[in-house]
Amino acid sequence: MRIVSGKLKSRRITAPKNLPVRPTTDLSKESLFNVLNNRFEFSEIKVLDLFSGTGNISYEFGSRGTTDITAVEAEFKCVKFIIETTQALDLPIHVIKNDVYKFLQTTKSEYDIIFADPPYHLPQASFDEIVNLVNERKLLKEEGLLIIEHSPNTKLAHHPNLVLEKKYGGSIFSFFGK
């Protein structure tokens, strides 16, 4: 994987092969950030990266100037890798080892962007629960976005605050407002 833009543009990051992850592709990530670039000033936002995996999305935000990034991941090997990479790249990413659903139930923070990339094999109800928890707990700032990356098999259009869906290859990004 590589960082698409910002101060670390074109920097390649190689994750260990034994991590149980499916990183967002560079093409999908570039398209996602093209959408976000038109809506946010990255240096002024607070970001929550759920199911962080390799930290790919967090690194991209950090490279683009975001200074308030929280990455939540349950897998120890992934957390260790994100911490090591964050230190090596000197990025402002706060890494939390926790179950995403437990974190969402207890956090008191509000975010401009919440990005979630759950494993595609999770049941539909798990994806719905992310949307519901973010809404019920009021975790988005007024103009904030929840973005969920998922496969075409997961359907999220039934949520009333869906504002946009973008398909990139085998992935879909569903965008939700407050």
Side-chain angles (χ1 to χ4, degrees):
M1 74 186 137
R2 71 178 173 85
I3 296 176
V4 175
S5 189
K7 69 181 182 181
L8 298 172
K9 181 179 180 177
S10 300
R11 179 80 177 256
R12 293 212 171 272
I13 299 167
T14 305
K17 295 195 184 308
N18 65 344
L19 296 184
V21 296
R22 174 202 33 78
T24 302
T25 65
D26 291 346
L27 181 60
S28 296
K29 185 170 57 170
E30 187 168 11
S31 299
L32 167 67
F33 276 87
N34 284 340
V35 171
L36 297 177
N37 204 32
N38 292 323
R39 187 167 177 159
F40 294 98
E41 177 59 49
F42 292 118
S43 63
E44 299 173 3
I45 62 172
K46 185 173 184 173
V47 172
L48 177 60
D49 181 8
L50 302 172
F51 302 96
S52 298
T54 61
N56 187 11
I57 295 297
S58 291
Y59 308 143
E60 192 68 43
F61 276 109
S63 178
R64 292 168 185 250
T66 305
T67 59
D68 194 343
I69 306 164
T70 301
V72 180
E73 173 59 51
E75 173 63 44
F76 175 77
K77 290 178 191 173
C78 292
V79 169
K80 184 175 184 266
F81 177 74
I82 297 169
I83 290 169
E84 290 169 355
T85 305
T86 294
Q87 290 170 348
L89 298 176
D90 192 29
L91 291 173
I93 300 169
H94 177 62
V95 185
I96 298 174
K97 183 188 181 310
N98 199 349
D99 174 83
V100 164
Y101 300 98
K102 288 179 184 172
F103 178 84
L104 289 174
Q105 290 168 357
T106 59
T107 186
K108 294 180 181 7
S109 294
E110 283 186 320
Y111 301 89
D112 296 287
I113 296 175
I114 300 174
F115 180 83
D117 186 8
Y120 282 8
H121 70 271
L122 289 182
Q124 175 74 40
S126 296
F127 288 85
D128 292 332
E129 186 176 0
I130 295 166
V131 178
N132 295 337
L133 281 169
V134 167
N135 288 330
E136 290 165 9
R137 305 270 343 231
K138 299 179 177 24
L139 301 179
L140 280 179
K141 291 184 180 179
E142 194 56 43
E143 297 298 318
L145 282 178
L146 164 64
I147 305 153
I148 300 179
E149 182 176 351
H150 59 92
S151 78
N153 297 330
T154 300
K155 308 296 183 204
L156 297 174
H158 59 279
H159 289 279
N161 52 349
L162 179 75
V163 293
L164 179 66
E165 273 193 344
K166 291 277 199 179
K167 186 175 188 322
Y168 303 111
S171 296
I172 296 174
F173 291 110
S174 291
F175 297 76
F176 302 87
K178 188 168 181 176

